[in-house]
Amino acid sequence: MLAQADFRQAVEMLPLVSIDLLLRDASGRYLTGLRTNPPAQGAWFVPGGRIRKNETLRNALQRIARDELGLPIAPDAWQPRGVYEHFYGTNFSGEAGRSTHYVVLAYEADLSLDIACLPQAQHHSYRWLPAEVIAADPGVHPYTQAYFKERAP
């Protein structure tokens, strides 16, 4: 792990590679959480996280699902949904003028879970919503809406 100053410099100079988790329940609804931390703080967003150096995609999926959902989910349960780019005008500390660029690998899985048991570190509230509602909800971050606009009728 990098010291915060080194990580800040890396974020200013390089794109970060991350995974976003599109989790669908038995009713076809998707999980979103109200972001606690920058970037995207205060917006509804899907769970996700950064891939670490020398971490395989398989291991990253396992770790991020465990950290974000509190569950061990087998990497084989996830299906790739596409590659996206996210650009923010702030960094992980919310410092304006210090942009962040993510290359995001979106993965989808079917799994129902109790949102009352989810970790609160990155999101302080959760909800299940149909794709078309997520795509139209102004409280959902536009980067999350993009995952679902292509699915909305």
Coordinates of all heavy atoms in Angstrom, one line a residue, residues 38-120:
P38 N -15.6 10.7 -1.2 CA -15.3 11.2 -2.6 C -14.5 10.2 -3.4 O -13.9 9.3 -2.8 CB -14.4 12.4 -2.3 CG -14.4 12.7 -0.9 CD -14.9 11.5 -0.2
P39 N -14.5 10.2 -4.7 CA -15.4 11.0 -5.5 C -16.8 10.4 -5.5 O -17.1 9.3 -5.0 CB -14.8 11.0 -6.9 CG -14.1 9.7 -6.9 CD -13.7 9.4 -5.5
A40 N -17.8 11.2 -6.0 CA -19.2 10.8 -6.1 C -19.9 10.8 -4.7 O -20.9 10.2 -4.6 CB -19.4 9.4 -6.8
Q41 N -19.3 11.4 -3.8 CA -19.9 11.5 -2.4 C -21.3 12.1 -2.5 O -21.5 13.1 -3.2 CB -19.0 12.4 -1.5 CG -19.4 12.5 -0.1 CD -18.4 13.2 0.8 OE1 -17.7 14.1 0.3 NE2 -18.4 12.9 2.0
G42 N -22.2 11.5 -1.8 CA -23.6 12.0 -1.8 C -24.5 11.5 -2.9 O -25.6 11.9 -2.9
A43 N -23.9 10.8 -3.8 CA -24.7 10.2 -4.9 C -24.9 8.7 -4.8 O -24.2 8.1 -4.1 CB -24.0 10.5 -6.3
W44 N -26.0 8.2 -5.4 CA -26.2 6.8 -5.4 C -25.3 6.2 -6.4 O -25.2 6.7 -7.5 CB -27.7 6.5 -5.7 CG -28.6 6.9 -4.6 CD1 -29.3 8.1 -4.4 CD2 -28.9 6.1 -3.4 NE1 -30.0 8.1 -3.3 CE2 -29.8 6.9 -2.6 CE3 -28.6 4.8 -3.0 CZ2 -30.3 6.4 -1.4 CZ3 -29.1 4.4 -1.8 CH2 -29.9 5.2 -1.0
F45 N -24.6 5.1 -6.0 CA -23.6 4.5 -6.9 C -23.6 3.0 -6.7 O -24.0 2.6 -5.6 CB -22.2 5.1 -6.5 CG -21.3 5.3 -7.7 CD1 -21.2 6.5 -8.4 CD2 -20.5 4.2 -8.1 CE1 -20.4 6.7 -9.4 CE2 -19.7 4.4 -9.2 CZ -19.6 5.6 -9.9
V46 N -23.1 2.3 -7.6 CA -23.0 0.8 -7.4 C -21.7 0.6 -6.6 O -20.8 1.4 -6.6 CB -22.9 0.0 -8.7 CG1 -24.2 0.1 -9.5 CG2 -21.8 0.5 -9.6
P47 N -21.7 -0.5 -5.8 CA -20.4 -0.9 -5.1 C -19.3 -1.1 -6.1 O -19.5 -1.5 -7.2 CB -20.8 -2.2 -4.4 CG -22.3 -2.2 -4.4 CD -22.7 -1.5 -5.6
G48 N -18.1 -0.9 -5.6 CA -16.9 -1.2 -6.4 C -15.6 -0.8 -5.7 O -15.7 -0.4 -4.5
G49 N -14.5 -1.0 -6.4 CA -13.2 -0.6 -5.8 C -12.1 -0.7 -6.8 O -12.3 -1.3 -7.9
R50 N -11.0 -0.2 -6.4 CA -9.8 -0.3 -7.2 C -9.1 -1.6 -7.2 O -9.1 -2.3 -6.2 CB -8.7 0.8 -6.7 CG -9.2 2.2 -6.9 CD -8.1 3.2 -6.4 NE -7.8 3.0 -5.0 CZ -8.3 3.6 -4.0 NH1 -9.3 4.5 -4.2 NH2 -7.9 3.4 -2.8
I51 N -8.5 -1.9 -8.4 CA -7.7 -3.1 -8.5 C -6.3 -2.7 -8.0 O -5.8 -1.7 -8.3 CB -7.6 -3.6 -9.9 CG1 -9.0 -4.0 -10.4 CG2 -6.6 -4.8 -10.1 CD1 -9.1 -4.3 -11.9
R52 N -5.7 -3.6 -7.2 CA -4.3 -3.3 -6.7 C -3.3 -3.9 -7.6 O -3.5 -4.8 -8.4 CB -4.2 -4.0 -5.3 CG -5.1 -3.4 -4.3 CD -5.0 -4.2 -3.0 NE -5.9 -3.6 -2.0 CZ -6.3 -4.2 -0.9 NH1 -5.9 -5.4 -0.6 NH2 -7.1 -3.6 -0.1
K53 N -2.1 -3.3 -7.6 CA -1.0 -3.7 -8.4 C -0.7 -5.2 -8.1 O -0.7 -5.6 -6.9 CB 0.3 -2.9 -8.1 CG 1.4 -3.3 -9.0 CD 2.6 -2.3 -8.9 CE 3.8 -2.7 -9.7 NZ 3.6 -2.9 -11.1
N54 N -0.4 -6.0 -9.1 CA -0.1 -7.4 -9.0 C -1.3 -8.2 -8.5 O -1.1 -9.4 -8.2 CB 1.1 -7.7 -8.2 CG 2.4 -7.1 -8.8 OD1 2.5 -7.0 -10.0 ND2 3.2 -6.5 -8.0
E55 N -2.5 -7.7 -8.5 CA -3.7 -8.4 -8.1 C -4.4 -8.9 -9.4 O -4.7 -8.1 -10.3 CB -4.6 -7.5 -7.3 CG -5.8 -8.2 -6.8 CD -6.7 -7.3 -5.9 OE1 -6.9 -6.1 -6.3 OE2 -7.1 -7.8 -4.8
T56 N -4.7 -10.1 -9.5 CA -5.4 -10.6 -10.7 C -6.9 -10.1 -10.7 O -7.4 -9.8 -9.6 CB -5.4 -12.2 -10.7 OG1 -6.2 -12.7 -9.6 CG2 -4.0 -12.7 -10.7
L57 N -7.5 -10.1 -11.8 CA -8.9 -9.7 -11.8 C -9.7 -10.7 -11.0 O -10.6 -10.2 -10.3 CB -9.4 -9.8 -13.3 CG -9.0 -8.7 -14.2 CD1 -9.6 -8.9 -15.6 CD2 -9.5 -7.3 -13.7
R58 N -9.5 -11.9 -11.0 CA -10.2 -12.9 -10.2 C -10.1 -12.6 -8.7 O -11.1 -12.6 -8.0 CB -9.6 -14.3 -10.5 CG -10.3 -15.4 -9.8 CD -9.7 -16.8 -10.3 NE -10.4 -17.9 -9.7 CZ -11.5 -18.3 -10.2 NH1 -12.1 -17.8 -11.3 NH2 -12.2 -19.4 -9.6
N59 N -8.8 -12.3 -8.2 CA -8.6 -12.0 -6.8 C -9.2 -10.6 -6.5 O -9.8 -10.4 -5.4 CB -7.2 -12.0 -6.5 CG -6.6 -13.4 -6.5 OD1 -7.3 -14.4 -6.4 ND2 -5.3 -13.5 -6.5
A60 N -9.2 -9.7 -7.4 CA -9.8 -8.4 -7.2 C -11.3 -8.5 -7.0 O -11.9 -7.9 -6.1 CB -9.4 -7.4 -8.3
L61 N -11.9 -9.3 -7.9 CA -13.4 -9.5 -7.8 C -13.7 -10.1 -6.4 O -14.7 -9.6 -5.8 CB -13.9 -10.4 -8.9 CG -14.3 -9.8 -10.2 CD1 -14.5 -10.8 -11.3 CD2 -15.5 -8.9 -10.0
Q62 N -13.0 -11.0 -6.0 CA -13.3 -11.6 -4.7 C -13.1 -10.6 -3.5 O -13.9 -10.5 -2.6 CB -12.3 -12.8 -4.4 CG -12.7 -14.1 -5.2 CD -11.7 -15.2 -4.9 OE1 -10.5 -15.1 -5.1 NE2 -12.3 -16.3 -4.4
R63 N -12.0 -9.9 -3.5 CA -11.7 -8.9 -2.5 C -12.7 -7.8 -2.5 O -13.2 -7.4 -1.4 CB -10.3 -8.4 -2.6 CG -9.9 -7.3 -1.6 CD -8.6 -6.6 -1.8 NE -8.5 -6.1 -3.2 CZ -9.0 -4.9 -3.6 NH1 -9.7 -4.2 -2.7 NH2 -8.7 -4.5 -4.8
I64 N -13.0 -7.2 -3.6 CA -13.9 -6.1 -3.7 C -15.3 -6.5 -3.3 O -16.0 -5.8 -2.5 CB -13.9 -5.5 -5.1 CG1 -12.5 -4.8 -5.3 CG2 -15.0 -4.5 -5.3 CD1 -12.2 -4.4 -6.8
A65 N -15.8 -7.7 -3.7 CA -17.1 -8.2 -3.3 C -17.1 -8.4 -1.8 O -18.1 -8.0 -1.1 CB -17.4 -9.5 -4.0
R66 N -16.1 -8.9 -1.2 CA -16.0 -9.1 0.2 C -16.0 -7.8 1.0 O -16.7 -7.6 1.9 CB -14.8 -10.0 0.6 CG -14.6 -10.3 2.1 CD -13.3 -11.0 2.4 NE -12.2 -10.1 2.2 CZ -11.3 -10.2 1.3 NH1 -11.2 -11.3 0.5 NH2 -10.3 -9.4 1.1
D67 N -15.2 -6.9 0.5 CA -15.1 -5.6 1.2 C -16.4 -4.7 1.0 O -16.8 -4.1 2.0 CB -13.9 -4.7 0.6 CG -12.5 -5.3 0.9 OD1 -12.5 -6.3 1.8 OD2 -11.5 -4.8 0.4
E68 N -16.9 -4.7 -0.2 CA -18.1 -3.9 -0.5 C -19.4 -4.5 0.0 O -20.4 -3.8 0.3 CB -18.1 -3.5 -1.9 CG -17.0 -2.7 -2.4 CD -17.2 -1.2 -2.0 OE1 -18.2 -0.6 -2.3 OE2 -16.2 -0.6 -1.5
L69 N -19.5 -5.8 -0.1 CA -20.8 -6.5 0.2 C -20.7 -7.3 1.5 O -21.7 -7.8 1.9 CB -21.2 -7.4 -1.0 CG -21.2 -6.7 -2.4 CD1 -21.4 -7.7 -3.5 CD2 -22.3 -5.6 -2.3
G70 N -19.5 -7.5 2.0 CA -19.4 -8.3 3.2 C -19.6 -9.8 3.0 O -19.9 -10.6 3.9
L71 N -19.5 -10.3 1.7 CA -19.8 -11.7 1.4 C -18.7 -12.2 0.5 O -18.2 -11.5 -0.4 CB -21.1 -11.7 0.5 CG -22.4 -11.4 1.2 CD1 -23.5 -11.3 0.2 CD2 -22.7 -12.4 2.3
P72 N -18.4 -13.5 0.7 CA -17.5 -14.2 -0.3 C -18.3 -14.6 -1.5 O -19.3 -15.4 -1.4 CB -17.0 -15.4 0.5 CG -18.0 -15.7 1.5 CD -18.7 -14.4 1.8
I73 N -18.1 -14.0 -2.6 CA -18.8 -14.4 -3.9 C -17.7 -14.9 -4.8 O -16.8 -14.2 -5.1 CB -19.5 -13.1 -4.5 CG1 -20.5 -12.6 -3.4 CG2 -20.2 -13.5 -5.8 CD1 -21.2 -11.3 -3.9
A74 N -18.0 -16.1 -5.4 CA -17.0 -16.7 -6.3 C -16.8 -15.8 -7.5 O -17.8 -15.3 -8.1 CB -17.5 -18.1 -6.7
P75 N -15.6 -15.7 -8.0 CA -15.4 -14.9 -9.2 C -16.1 -15.4 -10.4 O -16.5 -14.6 -11.3 CB -13.9 -15.0 -9.4 CG -13.3 -15.4 -8.1 CD -14.4 -16.2 -7.4
D76 N -16.4 -16.7 -10.4 CA -17.1 -17.2 -11.6 C -18.6 -16.8 -11.6 O -19.3 -16.9 -12.6 CB -17.1 -18.8 -11.5 CG -15.7 -19.3 -11.7 OD1 -14.8 -18.5 -12.2 OD2 -15.4 -20.4 -11.3
A77 N -19.1 -16.2 -10.5 CA -20.5 -15.7 -10.5 C -20.7 -14.4 -11.3 O -21.8 -14.1 -11.6 CB -20.9 -15.5 -9.0
W78 N -19.6 -13.7 -11.5 CA -19.6 -12.4 -12.2 C -19.4 -12.6 -13.7 O -18.6 -13.3 -14.1 CB -18.5 -11.5 -11.6 CG -18.7 -11.3 -10.1 CD1 -18.0 -11.9 -9.1 CD2 -19.5 -10.3 -9.5 NE1 -18.4 -11.4 -7.9 CE2 -19.3 -10.5 -8.1 CE3 -20.5 -9.4 -10.0 CZ2 -20.0 -9.7 -7.2 CZ3 -21.1 -8.6 -9.1 CH2 -20.9 -8.8 -7.7
Q79 N -20.2 -11.8 -14.4 CA -20.1 -11.7 -15.9 C -19.7 -10.3 -16.3 O -20.2 -9.4 -15.8 CB -21.5 -12.1 -16.5 CG -22.0 -13.4 -16.2 CD -21.0 -14.5 -16.8 OE1 -20.5 -14.4 -17.9 NE2 -20.7 -15.5 -15.9
P80 N -18.7 -10.2 -17.2 CA -18.3 -8.9 -17.6 C -19.4 -8.2 -18.3 O -20.1 -8.8 -19.1 CB -17.1 -9.2 -18.6 CG -16.8 -10.6 -18.5 CD -18.0 -11.3 -17.8
R81 N -19.5 -6.9 -18.0 CA -20.6 -6.0 -18.7 C -20.0 -4.9 -19.6 O -20.7 -4.3 -20.3 CB -21.4 -5.4 -17.6 CG -22.6 -6.2 -17.1 CD -23.7 -6.2 -18.1 NE -24.1 -4.8 -18.5 CZ -24.9 -4.0 -17.7 NH1 -25.3 -4.4 -16.6 NH2 -25.2 -2.8 -18.1
G82 N -18.7 -4.7 -19.5 CA -18.1 -3.7 -20.3 C -17.0 -2.9 -19.6 O -16.8 -3.0 -18.4
V83 N -16.4 -2.1 -20.4 CA -15.3 -1.2 -19.9 C -15.8 0.3 -20.1 O -16.4 0.6 -21.1 CB -14.0 -1.4 -20.7 CG1 -12.9 -0.4 -20.2 CG2 -13.6 -2.8 -20.6
Y84 N -15.7 1.0 -19.0 CA -16.2 2.4 -18.9 C -15.0 3.3 -18.5 O -14.0 2.8 -17.9 CB -17.3 2.5 -18.0 CG -18.5 1.7 -18.4 CD1 -18.6 0.3 -18.1 CD2 -19.6 2.3 -19.0 CE1 -19.7 -0.5 -18.5 CE2 -20.7 1.5 -19.4 CZ -20.7 0.2 -19.1 OH -21.8 -0.6 -19.5
E85 N -15.2 4.6 -18.7 CA -14.2 5.6 -18.1 C -15.0 6.6 -17.3 O -16.1 7.0 -17.6 CB -13.5 6.4 -19.2 CG -12.5 5.6 -19.9 CD -11.7 6.4 -20.9 OE1 -12.2 6.9 -21.9 OE2 -10.5 6.6 -20.6
H86 N -14.5 6.9 -16.1 CA -15.0 7.9 -15.2 C -14.0 9.0 -14.9 O -12.8 8.6 -14.6 CB -15.4 7.2 -13.8 CG -16.4 6.2 -14.0 ND1 -16.9 5.4 -12.9 CD2 -17.2 5.7 -15.0 CE1 -17.8 4.6 -13.2 NE2 -18.0 4.7 -14.5
F87 N -14.4 10.2 -15.1 CA -13.5 11.3 -14.9 C -14.2 12.2 -13.8 O -15.3 12.6 -13.9 CB -13.4 12.2 -16.1 CG -12.7 11.4 -17.2 CD1 -13.4 10.7 -18.2 CD2 -11.3 11.5 -17.4 CE1 -12.8 10.0 -19.2 CE2 -10.7 10.8 -18.4 CZ -11.4 10.1 -19.3
Y88 N -13.4 12.5 -12.7 CA -13.9 13.3 -11.6 C -13.0 14.6 -11.5 O -11.8 14.5 -11.7 CB -13.8 12.6 -10.3 CG -14.8 11.4 -10.3 CD1 -14.3 10.1 -10.7 CD2 -16.1 11.5 -10.0 CE1 -15.1 9.0 -10.6 CE2 -16.9 10.4 -10.0 CZ -16.4 9.1 -10.3 OH -17.2 8.0 -10.3
G89 N -13.5 15.7 -11.1 CA -12.8 16.9 -10.9 C -12.1 17.0 -9.5 O -11.4 17.9 -9.3
T90 N -12.3 15.9 -8.7 CA -11.7 15.9 -7.4 C -11.0 14.5 -7.2 O -11.1 13.6 -8.1 CB -12.7 16.0 -6.3 OG1 -13.7 14.9 -6.4 CG2 -13.5 17.3 -6.4
N91 N -10.3 14.4 -6.1 CA -9.6 13.1 -5.8 C -10.3 12.5 -4.7 O -11.3 12.9 -4.2 CB -8.1 13.3 -5.6 CG -7.8 14.2 -4.4 OD1 -8.7 14.5 -3.6 ND2 -6.5 14.5 -4.2
F92 N -9.7 11.4 -4.1 CA -10.2 10.6 -3.0 C -10.4 11.4 -1.8 O -11.1 11.1 -0.9 CB -9.3 9.4 -2.8 CG -7.9 9.8 -2.4 CD1 -7.5 9.9 -1.1 CD2 -7.0 10.0 -3.4 CE1 -6.2 10.2 -0.8 CE2 -5.6 10.3 -3.1 CZ -5.3 10.5 -1.8
S93 N -9.7 12.6 -1.6 CA -9.8 13.4 -0.5 C -10.8 14.6 -0.7 O -10.9 15.4 0.2 CB -8.4 14.0 -0.1 OG -7.5 13.0 0.3
G94 N -11.4 14.6 -1.9 CA -12.3 15.7 -2.2 C -11.7 17.0 -2.6 O -12.3 18.0 -2.6
E95 N -10.4 17.0 -2.9 CA -9.6 18.2 -3.2 C -10.0 18.6 -4.7 O -9.7 17.9 -5.6 CB -8.1 18.0 -3.1 CG -7.7 17.6 -1.7 CD -6.3 17.2 -1.6 OE1 -5.9 16.2 -2.3 OE2 -5.5 17.8 -0.8
A96 N -10.6 19.8 -4.8 CA -10.9 20.3 -6.1 C -9.7 20.6 -6.9 O -8.6 21.0 -6.3 CB -11.8 21.6 -5.9
G97 N -9.8 20.5 -8.2 CA -8.6 20.7 -9.1 C -7.6 19.6 -9.1 O -6.6 19.7 -9.8
R98 N -7.9 18.5 -8.4 CA -7.0 17.3 -8.4 C -7.9 16.2 -9.0 O -8.5 15.5 -8.2 CB -6.5 17.0 -7.0 CG -5.6 18.1 -6.5 CD -5.0 17.8 -5.2 NE -4.2 18.8 -4.7 CZ -2.8 18.8 -4.8 NH1 -2.2 17.9 -5.4 NH2 -2.1 19.8 -4.3
S99 N -7.8 16.0 -10.3 CA -8.8 15.1 -10.9 C -8.4 13.7 -10.7 O -7.3 13.3 -10.4 CB -8.8 15.5 -12.4 OG -7.5 15.2 -13.0
T100 N -9.4 12.8 -11.0 CA -9.2 11.4 -10.9 C -9.8 10.8 -12.2 O -10.9 11.2 -12.6 CB -10.0 10.8 -9.7 OG1 -9.5 11.4 -8.5 CG2 -9.7 9.3 -9.6
H101 N -9.1 9.9 -12.8 CA -9.5 9.2 -14.0 C -9.5 7.7 -13.7 O -8.5 7.1 -13.3 CB -8.5 9.5 -15.1 CG -8.7 8.7 -16.4 ND1 -7.7 8.6 -17.3 CD2 -9.7 8.0 -16.9 CE1 -8.2 7.9 -18.4 NE2 -9.4 7.5 -18.1
Y102 N -10.7 7.1 -13.9 CA -10.8 5.6 -13.7 C -11.1 4.9 -15.0 O -11.9 5.4 -15.8 CB -12.0 5.3 -12.8 CG -11.8 5.6 -11.3 CD1 -12.2 6.7 -10.7 CD2 -11.2 4.6 -10.5 CE1 -12.0 7.0 -9.3 CE2 -11.0 4.8 -9.1 CZ -11.5 6.0 -8.6 OH -11.3 6.2 -7.2
V103 N -10.5 3.8 -15.2 CA -10.9 2.9 -16.2 C -11.6 1.8 -15.5 O -11.0 1.1 -14.6 CB -9.7 2.3 -17.0 CG1 -10.1 1.2 -18.0 CG2 -8.9 3.4 -17.7
V104 N -12.9 1.6 -15.7 CA -13.8 0.8 -14.9 C -14.2 -0.5 -15.7 O -14.7 -0.4 -16.8 CB -15.0 1.5 -14.4 CG1 -15.9 0.7 -13.5 CG2 -14.6 2.8 -13.8
L105 N -14.0 -1.6 -15.0 CA -14.5 -2.9 -15.6 C -15.8 -3.2 -14.8 O -15.7 -3.4 -13.6 CB -13.5 -4.0 -15.3 CG -12.0 -3.7 -15.8 CD1 -11.1 -4.8 -15.4 CD2 -12.0 -3.3 -17.3
A106 N -16.9 -3.2 -15.5 CA -18.2 -3.5 -14.9 C -18.5 -5.0 -14.9 O -18.3 -5.6 -16.0 CB -19.3 -2.7 -15.5
Y107 N -18.9 -5.6 -13.8 CA -19.2 -7.0 -13.7 C -20.6 -7.1 -13.1 O -21.0 -6.3 -12.2 CB -18.2 -7.7 -12.8 CG -16.9 -8.0 -13.5 CD1 -15.9 -7.1 -13.5 CD2 -16.7 -9.2 -14.2 CE1 -14.7 -7.4 -14.2 CE2 -15.5 -9.5 -14.8 CZ -14.5 -8.6 -14.8 OH -13.3 -8.8 -15.5
E108 N -21.4 -8.1 -13.6 CA -22.7 -8.3 -13.1 C -22.9 -9.7 -12.5 O -22.3 -10.6 -13.0 CB -23.7 -8.1 -14.2 CG -25.2 -8.2 -13.8 CD -26.1 -7.7 -14.9 OE1 -25.7 -6.8 -15.7 OE2 -27.2 -8.3 -15.1
A109 N -23.7 -9.8 -11.4 CA -24.0 -11.1 -10.8 C -25.4 -11.1 -10.3 O -25.9 -10.0 -9.9 CB -23.0 -11.4 -9.7
D110 N -26.0 -12.3 -10.2 CA -27.3 -12.5 -9.6 C -27.1 -12.9 -8.1 O -26.5 -14.0 -7.9 CB -28.1 -13.5 -10.3 CG -28.5 -13.0 -11.7 OD1 -28.8 -11.9 -11.9 OD2 -28.4 -13.8 -12.7
L111 N -27.6 -12.2 -7.2 CA -27.5 -12.5 -5.8 C -28.5 -11.7 -5.0 O -28.4 -10.4 -5.0 CB -26.1 -12.4 -5.3 CG -25.9 -12.7 -3.8 CD1 -26.0 -14.3 -3.6 CD2 -24.5 -12.2 -3.3
S112 N -29.3 -12.3 -4.2 CA -30.2 -11.5 -3.3 C -29.5 -11.5 -2.0 O -28.9 -12.5 -1.5 CB -31.6 -12.2 -3.2 OG -32.2 -12.1 -4.4
L113 N -29.5 -10.4 -1.3 CA -28.9 -10.2 0.0 C -29.7 -9.2 0.8 O -30.4 -8.4 0.3 CB -27.4 -9.9 0.0 CG -26.9 -8.8 -0.9 CD1 -27.1 -7.5 -0.2 CD2 -25.5 -9.0 -1.2
D114 N -29.5 -9.2 2.1 CA -30.2 -8.3 3.0 C -29.4 -7.0 3.1 O -28.2 -7.1 3.6 CB -30.3 -9.0 4.4 CG -31.0 -8.1 5.4 OD1 -31.5 -7.0 5.0 OD2 -31.2 -8.5 6.6
I115 N -29.9 -5.9 2.6 CA -29.2 -4.7 2.6 C -28.9 -4.2 4.0 O -28.0 -3.4 4.2 CB -29.8 -3.6 1.8 CG1 -31.2 -3.3 2.3 CG2 -29.9 -4.0 0.3 CD1 -31.9 -2.1 1.5
A116 N -29.6 -4.6 5.0 CA -29.4 -4.2 6.4 C -28.0 -4.7 6.9 O -27.5 -4.2 7.9 CB -30.5 -4.7 7.3
C117 N -27.5 -5.7 6.3 CA -26.2 -6.4 6.7 C -25.0 -5.9 5.9 O -23.9 -6.4 6.2 CB -26.3 -7.9 6.6 SG -27.6 -8.5 7.6
L118 N -25.2 -4.9 5.0 CA -24.1 -4.5 4.2 C -23.1 -3.6 4.9 O -23.5 -2.8 5.8 CB -24.6 -3.8 2.9 CG -25.3 -4.8 1.9 CD1 -26.0 -4.0 0.8 CD2 -24.4 -5.8 1.4
P119 N -21.8 -3.6 4.5 CA -20.8 -2.7 5.2 C -21.2 -1.2 4.9 O -21.8 -0.9 3.9 CB -19.5 -3.1 4.5 CG -19.7 -4.4 3.9 CD -21.2 -4.5 3.6
Q120 N -20.8 -0.4 5.9 CA -21.1 1.0 5.8 C -19.9 1.9 5.5 O -20.1 3.1 5.5 CB -21.8 1.4 7.1 CG -23.0 0.7 7.5 CD -24.2 1.1 6.7 OE1 -24.5 2.3 6.6 NE2 -24.9 0.1 6.1

